[in-house]
């Protein structure tokens, strides 16, 4: 099969890590008999330098014309004095909304070989963990009515959360489908003991659960979920939750893996076209030094194959290669821990993954 992939390298380490992922995707394409056509577009600070804006129309058009999009990272100190609506990071919200992406998938996986990187005690992470957080991305309190008004005690600020059954059902269905492709366990997280939106959320999720009898479904309050994630993360398979709860819990889940350079993410909408990117930023402190860990971006490429193109065996191949490279003891500096081995460069660890594929 032939696929067109838009590349948004961005700033800082963005170009290095995206180029690593491209090499891995090219190797995978050759192995499985596919053809990937890559086309680069500007985003972030480099787009400001060349065009004056962080998200040029040409980039939006190019992404819309592609089968999927791979993004590195944007931002850096040289653009810190840009006005708020022209900052590099503004392009991230812009591209997600232009592509109509309403859900964010964030795996938080603790690789057995990296157990010591987790800040949790050994006995808690003895079996590792592998969680997928499905977060609603364009609704809820971040997008609700807001403002400043006169209240009972004078001036007050307010933000409101609203969710329609349609918004809940589409994210819920996506989460059940994701659970069907994994260990078939889904936990929906809400605050239904207090919030009206959570009560509607729970009602819709329960309705959906009847359509997926194979999925072991449960509900959990968000305050309990925040505790359970650090008490026993391995109890979770797929988690589905609202925009704000997902924002907070996905950062907590990332943190307990202890390795920011290893975590990919996917944002998806109604079409198969998605935006795939590492969860970390542009790491300006190590940019251009060939020190960046490219594994999060390589794994984002694997997610693209799985979720945009339906190429599960090809995605498994990349993920297994990353596992093997880690099992063999290869590390970039960010995941070296207490090891006395010499860290590999970005290019060296990329080549190790390619060798295994
Ligand atoms: P960061 O994630 O860029 O870096 C935090 C720390 O983690 C740094 O020490 C960095 O060297 C290290 N790190 C991150 N990714 C790494 C990798 N792949 N390999 C090795 N080490 C890695 O976060 P920050 O320093 O807060 O932000 C830097 C810039 O990135 C800012 O301009 C910020 O706005 C931007 N940012 C962009 C995105 C995005 O593009 N999605 C996300 C977060 C931050």
């Amino acid at each position: 099969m032939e696929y067109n992939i838009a590349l948004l390298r961005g700033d800082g380490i963005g170009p290095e890590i995206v180029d690593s992922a491209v090499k891995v995707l090219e190797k995978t394409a050759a192995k499985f008999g596919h053809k990937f056509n890559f086309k680069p577009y500007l985003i972030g600070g480099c787009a400001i330098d060349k065009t004056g804006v962080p998200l040029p129309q040409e980039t939006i058009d190019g992404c819309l014309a592609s089968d999927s999009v791979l993004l590195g990272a944007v931002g850096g100190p040289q653009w810190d004095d840009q006005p708020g609506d022209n900052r590099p990071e503004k392009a991230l919200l812009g591209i997600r909304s232009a592509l109509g992406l309403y859900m964010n998938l964030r795996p938080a996986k603790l690789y057995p070989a990296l157990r010591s990187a987790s800040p949790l005690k050994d006995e808690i992470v003895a079996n590792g963990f592998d969680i997928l957080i499905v977060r609603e991305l364009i609704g809820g309190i971040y997008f609700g009515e807001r403002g400043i008004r006169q209240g009972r005690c004078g001036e007050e600020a307010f933000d409101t959360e609203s969710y329609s059954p349609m918004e809940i059902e589409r994210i819920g269905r996506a989460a059940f489908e994701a659970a069907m492709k994994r260990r078939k366990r889904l936990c929906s997280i809400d605050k239904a003991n207090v919030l009206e939106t959570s009560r509607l959320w729970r009602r819709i999720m329960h309705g959906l659960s009847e359509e997926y009898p194979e999925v072991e479904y449960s509900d959990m309050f968000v305050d309990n979920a925040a505790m359970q994630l650090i008490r026993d993360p391995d109890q979770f398979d797929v988690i589905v939750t609202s925009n704000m709860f997902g924002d907070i819990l996905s950062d907590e889940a990332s943190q307990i893996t202890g390795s920011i350079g290893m975590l990919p993410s996917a944002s998806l909408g109604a079409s198969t076209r998605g935006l795939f990117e590492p969860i970390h930023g542009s790491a300006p402190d190590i940019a251009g030094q060939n020190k960046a860990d490219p594994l999060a971006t390589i794994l984002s490429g694997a997610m693209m194959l799985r979720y945009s193109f339906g190429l599960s065996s090809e995605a498994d191949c990349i993920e297994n290669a990353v596992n093997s490279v880690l099992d063999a003891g290869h590390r970039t500096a960010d995941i070296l821990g207490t090891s006395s081995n010499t860290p590999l460069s970005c290019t060296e660890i990329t080549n190790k993954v390619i060798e295994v594929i």
Side-chain angles (χ1 to χ4, degrees):
M1 295 283 286
E2 186 165 346
Y3 300 93
N4 297 316
I5 300 172
L7 294 181
L8 309 182
R9 289 191 176 91
D11 310 312
I13 59 170
E16 302 162 50
I17 54 179
V18 169
D19 288 350
S20 288
V22 166
K23 285 188 209 150
V24 169
L25 287 170
E26 277 174 338
K27 176 72 188 179
T28 312
K31 180 179 163 96
F32 287 88
H34 302 300
K35 187 163 191 287
F36 298 143
N37 305 312
F38 298 101
K39 198 154 179 207
Y41 296 94
L42 293 170
I43 192 165
C46 59
I48 296 175
D49 291 347
K50 292 232 170 78
T51 71
V53 292
L55 183 62
Q57 188 60 41
E58 194 193 340
T59 298
I60 297 177
D61 295 341
C63 291
L64 285 170
S66 70
D67 295 314
S68 212
V69 184
L70 184 65
L71 169 73
V74 299
Q78 57 273 55
W79 300 286
D80 277 352
D81 54 358
Q82 287 287 324
D85 60 357
N86 208 50
R87 289 179 64 92
E89 295 80 3
K90 199 76 186 160
L92 298 173
L93 290 178
I95 192 68
R96 285 178 194 141
S97 115
L99 297 177
L101 307 174
Y102 59 78
M103 71 173 134
N104 186 237
L105 304 187
R106 258 175 64 172
K109 180 168 173 171
L110 181 63
Y111 292 83
L114 294 182
R115 236 173 29 208
S116 63
S118 171
L120 298 184
K121 283 184 183 157
D122 283 351
E123 60 257 37
I124 294 178
V125 293
N127 299 324
F129 55 82
D130 181 3
I131 306 170
L132 177 68
I133 299 193
V134 179
R135 167 188 168 194
E136 201 288 325
L137 205 54
I138 56 174
I141 196 163
Y142 292 172
F143 290 87
E145 202 185 322
R146 70 192 53 207
I148 304 281
R149 65 187 171 199
Q150 286 303 311
R152 272 178 303 150
C153 308
E155 186 184 61
E156 65 181 21
F158 68 98
D159 300 277
T160 51
E161 164 136 317
S162 62
Y163 269 116
S164 66
M166 180 279 288
E167 289 171 298
I168 301 170
E169 189 179 330
R170 70 181 176 186
I171 191 78
R173 198 170 284 288
F176 275 102
E177 291 292 335
M180 287 294 289
K181 292 187 192 135
R182 292 171 46 104
R183 301 193 303 279
K184 297 194 173 62
R185 293 208 317 264
L186 177 65
C187 181
S188 169
I189 291 176
D190 61 36
K191 189 71 183 166
N193 50 344
V194 178
L195 299 175
E196 207 57 58
T197 40
S198 283
R199 283 193 273 273
L200 178 64
W201 182 280
R202 201 173 265 217
R203 182 151 59 80
I204 304 285
M205 289 294 166
H206 281 217
L208 279 173
S209 73
E210 287 171 16
E211 291 181 40
Y212 293 88
E214 281 178 66
V215 175
E216 189 189 315
Y217 174 83
S218 60
D219 307 293
M220 194 179 279
F221 294 139
V222 63
D223 37 353
N224 187 22
M227 292 191 285
Q228 294 299 330
L229 268 175
I230 49 171
R231 201 187 65 82
D232 178 19
D234 193 31
Q235 71 184 280
F236 296 108
D237 175 19
V238 180
I239 285 175
V240 61
T241 190
S242 63
N243 200 345
M244 182 165 68
F245 295 160
D247 186 8
I248 298 163
L249 293 178
S250 61
D251 270 5
E252 184 186 357
S254 311
Q255 189 56 40
I256 57 173
T257 69
S259 49
I260 192 174
M262 298 272 321
L263 298 173
S265 79
S267 301
L268 296 160
S271 80
T272 55
R273 186 190 315 106
L275 178 70
F276 298 83
E277 56 183 314
I279 68 152
H280 58 73
S282 60
D285 51 334
I286 55 166
Q289 299 171 35
N290 200 17
K291 281 186 187 163
D293 183 345
L295 295 180
T297 318
I298 290 171
L299 292 167
S300 301
M303 287 189 88
M304 171 186 289
L305 302 190
R306 188 183 305 285
Y307 291 103
S308 270
F309 306 156
L311 302 176
S312 303
S313 306
E314 291 80 344
D316 287 345
C317 174
I318 296 177
E319 288 166 2
N320 291 338
V322 168
N323 262 329
S324 304
V325 166
L326 294 172
D327 282 347
H330 302 302
R331 306 276 188 274
T332 42
D334 58 309
I335 49 173
L336 201 56
T338 52
S339 160
S340 54
N341 289 355
T342 315
L344 297 189
S345 68
C346 179
T347 328
E348 284 166 336
I349 202 154
T350 304
N351 290 339
K352 294 282 179 206
V353 174
I354 290 171
E355 272 167 35
V356 178
I357 293 173

